[in-house]
Structure formats: structure tokens, C-alpha cells
Amino acid sequence: MEHKGLGDDDLVFKALASPLRRRMLDALKHESLTTGRLCGLFPELDRTTVLQHLRVLERAELVTGRRVGKERQLALAPLPIKRIHDRWISGYAEAAVELIERLSEEEV
């Protein structure tokens, strides 16, 4: 799914670029939260600012929301992060390990 010309990975990287949004994801990693409880975790910010950041996370499909009565329950959606890991991080980590192994063999 494309949004405003950005691919899925670009949306995830954009969402993860903000320390505040990473803190929001950390909070949701431990448990699902209502929108009100999530806003309460950031008393230094007004509700509108928290909701704007939440929309960025939802566009990147990092957070899902569903109505439960009058409240909206938010949950972490880890698949985009796994996709980033599988596509970018794991390959670079493997290359780094191989480089360290080659350097270790050369020192022997």
C-alpha cells in the first residue's frame, strides 16, 4: 500500500525517526492501551499532538486501533518492524559478523 508517494518501508522509517513515536511504540509493546491512557503517558504534550503522532504510526501500520464501547483500544502491530528487520537489519548484521570472522582469521 502506498501513501503520498512513500512506500511501506519509507513510512515505517519515517514513523520510527521520532523519539516520541518510538516511546509510544515502547508503551504499546508491553500492553494494549486506550487512546486516553496513551495520551496520559505523555503529560508534557496536548492530546492533539499525541493523536498526530499516533496517525503517523497508524499510516505506517505499526499501530492498530479498534473500538471497544466508547473507547479506542490501541495495539502494537509488529509485522512492519519485522519486515524492516528481515529486509535491512539482518542482512547487514550478517555482513558485519562475516567481516569480523574474516578479520579474526587474518589475525591468527
Side-chain angles (χ1 to χ4, degrees), residues 16-67:
L16 294 174
S18 164
L20 176 67
R21 289 192 290 266
R22 291 193 305 267
R23 286 176 47 211
M24 292 170 78
L25 291 174
D26 285 340
L28 291 167
K29 178 173 60 175
H30 300 294
E31 63 179 324
S32 294
L33 299 169
T34 63
T35 304
R37 281 197 53 215
L38 183 66
C39 290
L41 294 176
F42 302 94
E44 71 277 13
L45 302 172
D46 61 65
R47 183 178 176 88
T48 302
T49 301
V50 173
L51 293 177
Q52 287 172 340
H53 283 282
L54 183 58
R55 275 193 291 279
V56 173
L57 293 171
E58 287 178 318
R59 269 195 303 270
E61 299 179 352
L62 290 165
V63 171
T64 60
R66 64 180 174 84
R67 284 249 169 244

